[in-house]
Amino acid sequence: MTQDPYPHPPIDQITLPEVLHALSDPLRLSILKVLMSGEETAWSGFSVSVAPSTLSHHMKVLRNAGLIVNRKDGTRCFVSTRPEIDTRFPGLVETVLRLCPCEKPSL
Amino acid sequence: MTQDPYPHPPIDQITLPEVLHALSDPLRLSILKVLMSGEETAWSGFSVSVAPSTLSHHMKVLRNAGLIVNRKDGTRCFVSTRPEIDTRFPGLVETVLRLCPCEKPSL
């Protein structure tokens, strides 16, 4: 059996400080802004000025905080929002993204 | 002229990631919960299980993020909320503290 390359923590184990830490970075905020539309997006489509390993690190922080879902399909990686986070911490992500002046990274 | 022991940054220079980072710690969240009443509180009155130098560090992080005001009076240190943060990022602190299950440190 192949190990899941992207383990997602149970939503009820995620703490508020973890989510706030994940949100405390401009690049991670801009990734979430892109995903607000609700559509699944390929990692390769993000035009960000960081190395792939750095992007992968940021995705891991967001995933471990319950903010996103990562999916691997062959050699491609995809990302989408994780809606349960709004059940766990109602209104938090919406409030933060409303206040965020960050630019969306182009797709 | 004596240097201000507690410099407070101009509120318009504070960024959203800085505020979210300051909020991403359980002890800092519980300090803010105590201060929600709006009353100025003596540092010495916080019954927290950390060393004075650690408490001082957390106060500095909160102060640099525009979340609190520190004041020295002789040898005593006091802390209160900084209301301008709600003008800079409307609703943010209120939303976070509403979701925060943290215990108030006793006074």
Side-chain angles (χ1 to χ4, degrees), chain A residues 9-104:
Chain A
I11 206 75
D12 58 358
Q13 285 179 17
I14 292 164
T15 67
L16 184 61
E18 280 175 316
V19 179
L20 292 166
H21 166 70
L23 293 169
S24 70
D25 178 272
L27 182 59
R28 293 197 289 269
L29 286 173
S30 57
I31 289 172
L32 289 176
K33 276 234 161 175
V34 167
L35 299 177
M36 276 179 76
S37 68
E39 283 184 35
E40 190 178 56
T41 303
W43 291 23
S44 58
F46 284 97
S47 173
V48 289
S49 56
V50 295
S53 60
T54 306
L55 182 61
S56 179
H57 162 75
H58 286 299
M59 291 291 185
K60 184 178 180 182
V61 174
L62 290 168
R63 184 172 73 245
N64 285 343
L67 288 160
I68 62 168
V69 174
N70 287 143
R71 184 175 68 84
K72 205 166 164 71
D73 185 0
T75 58
R76 299 189 75 196
C77 302
F78 295 87
V79 56
S80 55
T81 53
R82 187 166 174 187
E84 304 107 293
I85 197 68
D86 197 55
T87 309
R88 178 100 174 98
F89 298 114
L92 178 61
V93 176
E94 182 194 336
T95 299
V96 169
L97 293 184
R98 175 175 52 79
L99 297 169
C100 175
C102 52
E103 290 295 314
K104 288 183 184 183

Side-chain angles (χ1 to χ4, degrees), chain B residues 37-101:
Chain B
S37 67
E39 284 184 36
E40 190 178 57
T41 303
W43 289 25
S44 58
F46 283 97
S47 174
V48 290
S49 57
V50 295
S53 60
T54 306
L55 181 61
S56 179
H57 163 74
H58 286 299
M59 291 291 184
K60 184 177 179 182
V61 174
L62 288 169
R63 185 171 73 244
N64 285 344
L67 287 160
I68 61 168
V69 174
N70 287 144
R71 181 175 70 82
K72 205 168 165 69
D73 185 0
T75 58
R76 301 190 72 197
C77 300
F78 295 87
V79 56
S80 54
T81 54
R82 187 168 174 184
E84 303 107 293
I85 198 68
D86 197 56
T87 309
R88 179 97 174 99
F89 298 115
L92 178 61
V93 177
E94 183 195 336
T95 299
V96 169
L97 292 184
R98 175 174 54 78
L99 296 169
C100 175

